[in-house]
């Protein structure tokens, strides 16, 4: 069988199973009161002939499948009229067990579609087939170990393995006692340099930037910096990068200079109408400006950032800092830092703080960083 035929068969299986799962979710909703989406049980091997018609209609969808709630409801109604009783009962049993175990809909979908990156955003579920065109990370996800102190470390038998604990801070943490922080085995801290407002677009320095970067460095903690972007285009992105470069010029910045790209979440944000192409051009412009200045550029974001907002092919060369709050990381592509919690506790920092594990020693690898210091 040709590779093309095999891919086509796999696509048919996914779509057909999707159709079957939808019917079972209707029943699950009636029995449990849960609002559901299309789910499926990979143990089912025999699809009904009636659902094959729907499969053929869906086969022409593009490689990225995005289903709105309205489309899901349509699938439910169509599948409910054709799925067999035995299939319904089998699927229902598996779904009920998953719900009892507290699994979310998106978590179940991710288990059922291991060949896709499943992203829930803006009321839709998006399926991105995992591609070999992008560099994948080589971490064994089972080696990310949640320890007794609720911190995650990457642990294996390789003596060259790097697992460094760090935080990222801004004015939201208030005044920080960096002497006490240094006693918490913190290897690095990312300091927010500034931000651009999401309405007027004014660039502002974080009011605690100087205190934080000097406090960390004075207590032996390596630093990186990040800027919360709201750039509309390449020109504004370069403006943001140059603003950061001016701020950090007096300091020894061993870790990356990061573009913090996140969804604003308000309808009137100045970036609300930006496209993937717009976001990508701006991100590349920021990173290239940082790179030319001799620093390591990096992009921070979550699943929506990397899979929906940015074109991953165009940002392939830049290091990535991935935010995903769970005990197990869900991202197939290359990243250097994982932000696994926003509710960390560190002596010297009042309230919650973001916690990170880094698998690359930037301070050791950056031989020139001391030349840029004081």
């Amino acid at each position: 069988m040709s590779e093309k035929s095999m891919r086509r068969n796999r696509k048919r299986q996914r779509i057909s199973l999707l159709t079957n799962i939808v019917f079972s979710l209707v029943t699950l909703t009636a029995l449990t009161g849960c609002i559901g989406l299309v789910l499926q049980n990979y143990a089912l091997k025999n699809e009904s002939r009636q659902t094959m018609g729907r499969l053929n209609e869906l086969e022409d969808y593009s490689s990225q499948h995005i289903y709105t709630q309205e489309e899901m409801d349509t699938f439910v109604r169509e599948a409910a009229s054709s799925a067999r009783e035995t299939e319904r009962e089998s699927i229902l049993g598996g779904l009920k067990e998953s719900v009892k175990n507290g699994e979310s809909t998106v978590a179940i979908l991710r288990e059922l579609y291991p060949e896709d990156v499943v992203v829930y955003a803006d009321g839709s579920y998006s399926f991105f087939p995992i591609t070999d065109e992008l560099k994948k990370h080589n971490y064994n996800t089972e080696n990310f170990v949640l320890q007794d102190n609720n911190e995650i470390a990457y642990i294996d038998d390789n003596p060259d393995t790097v697992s460094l604990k760090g935080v990222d801070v801004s004015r939201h943490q208030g005044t920080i006692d960096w002497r006490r922080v240094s006693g918490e085995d913190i290897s690095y801290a990312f300091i927010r340099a500034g931000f651009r407002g999401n309405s007027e677009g004014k660039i502002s320095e974080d009011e605690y930037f100087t205190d934080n970067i000097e406090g960390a460095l004075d207590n032996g903690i390596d630093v990186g910096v990040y800027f919360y972007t709201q750039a509309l285009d390449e020109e504004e992105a370069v403006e943001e990068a140059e603003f950061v470069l001016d701020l950090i010029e007096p300091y020894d910045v061993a870790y990356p200079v990061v573009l913090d790209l996140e969804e604003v979440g308000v309808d009137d944000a100045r970036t609300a109408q930006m496209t993937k192409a717009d976001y990508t051009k701006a991100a590349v412009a920021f990173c290239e400006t940082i790179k030319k200045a001799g620093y390591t550029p990096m992009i921070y974001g979550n699943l929506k950032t990397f899979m929906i907002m940015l074109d991953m092919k165009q940002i392939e060369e830049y290091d990535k800092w991935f935010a995903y709050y769970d005990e197990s990381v869900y991202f197939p592509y290359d990243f250097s830092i994982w932000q696994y919690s926003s509710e960390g506790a560190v002596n010297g920092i009042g309230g919650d703080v973001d916690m990170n594990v880094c698998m690359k020693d930037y301070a050791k690898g950056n031989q020139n960083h001391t030349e840029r210091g004081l």
Side-chain angles (χ1 to χ4, degrees), residues 14-141:
R14 287 198 299 267
I15 298 173
S16 179
L17 289 172
L18 176 66
T19 309
N20 283 332
I21 248 343
V22 171
F23 168 76
S24 66
L25 197 53
V26 173
T27 306
L28 180 61
T29 302
L31 293 176
T32 66
C34 298
I35 298 176
L37 295 171
V38 177
L39 301 175
Q40 72 183 26
N41 188 327
Y42 274 119
L44 294 176
K45 302 298 182 182
N46 299 317
E47 298 87 356
S48 65
R49 292 182 179 178
Q50 294 89 336
T51 59
M52 288 301 294
R54 184 54 178 161
L55 182 151
N56 292 330
E57 293 177 15
L58 292 174
E59 187 176 14
D60 292 333
Y61 272 33
S62 63
S63 59
Q64 174 190 332
H65 303 299
I66 303 177
Y67 303 105
T68 65
Q69 189 64 54
E70 182 179 356
E71 289 172 327
M72 290 296 191
D73 292 340
T74 300
F75 294 164
V76 167
R77 290 192 297 271
E78 293 181 0
S81 65
S82 61
R84 295 177 297 185
E85 184 68 18
T86 54
E87 291 175 342
R88 182 190 66 80
E89 292 178 355
S90 177
I91 299 172
L92 179 59
L95 296 178
K96 288 178 69 176
E97 190 64 27
S98 296
V99 172
K100 287 180 180 179
N101 292 335
E103 293 187 50
S104 66
T105 299
V106 70
I108 297 172
L109 282 171
R110 287 169 181 168
E111 292 178 3
L112 297 174
Y113 291 90
E115 295 181 357
D116 296 325
V117 179
V118 182
V119 183
Y120 179 73
D122 304 324
S124 299
Y125 289 79
S126 300
F127 296 75
F128 298 88
I130 298 173
T131 175
D132 291 333
E133 295 180 2
L134 297 173
K135 182 181 178 182
K136 298 182 178 66
H137 68 70
N138 59 2
Y139 311 125
N140 181 343
T141 55

Side-chain angles (χ1 to χ4, degrees), residues 140-182:
N140 181 343
T141 55
E142 294 182 357
N143 290 343
F144 286 107
V145 180
L146 180 64
Q147 304 173 98
D148 292 340
N149 59 1
N150 289 323
E151 296 173 359
I152 290 178
Y154 188 76
I155 302 173
D156 64 17
D157 296 329
N158 187 338
D160 296 326
T161 294
V162 174
S163 178
L164 300 173
K165 171 182 169 182
V167 296
D168 55 275
V169 299
S170 69
R171 69 182 183 187
H172 299 297
Q173 276 69 45
T175 301
I176 295 174
D177 185 339
W178 286 102
R179 182 187 61 79
R180 292 178 63 195
V181 173
S182 66

Side-chain angles (χ1 to χ4, degrees), residues 250-299:
Y251 303 110
D252 180 7
V253 178
Y255 272 69
V257 176
V258 184
L259 180 72
D260 178 1
L261 179 57
E262 305 174 56
E263 179 185 26
V264 177
V266 293
D267 294 336
D268 60 349
R270 68 196 309 265
T271 56
Q273 302 305 315
M274 288 182 67
T275 66
K276 176 180 284 192
D278 295 332
Y279 280 120
T280 302
K281 288 179 181 179
V284 170
F286 180 96
C287 290
E288 284 300 301
T289 304
I290 298 301
K291 182 179 178 181
K292 289 176 182 178
Y295 296 88
T296 301
M298 174 178 273
I299 300 175

Side-chain angles (χ1 to χ4, degrees), residues 188-201:
Y188 57 92
F190 279 96
I191 313 299
R192 187 171 76 164
F195 57 94
R196 188 189 288 272
N198 60 30
S199 56
E200 297 180 359

Side-chain angles (χ1 to χ4, degrees), residues 287-320:
C287 290
E288 284 300 301
T289 304
I290 298 301
K291 182 179 178 181
K292 289 176 182 178
Y295 296 88
T296 301
M298 174 178 273
I299 300 175
Y300 166 93
N302 54 22
L303 280 170
K304 180 174 181 178
T305 303
F306 291 120
M307 302 308 300
I308 295 177
M309 297 173 70
L310 292 173
D311 181 348
M312 286 284 287
K313 291 181 181 179
Q314 295 188 52
I315 63 166
E316 175 88 46
E317 68 175 277
Y318 308 118
D319 288 10
K320 296 170 185 65

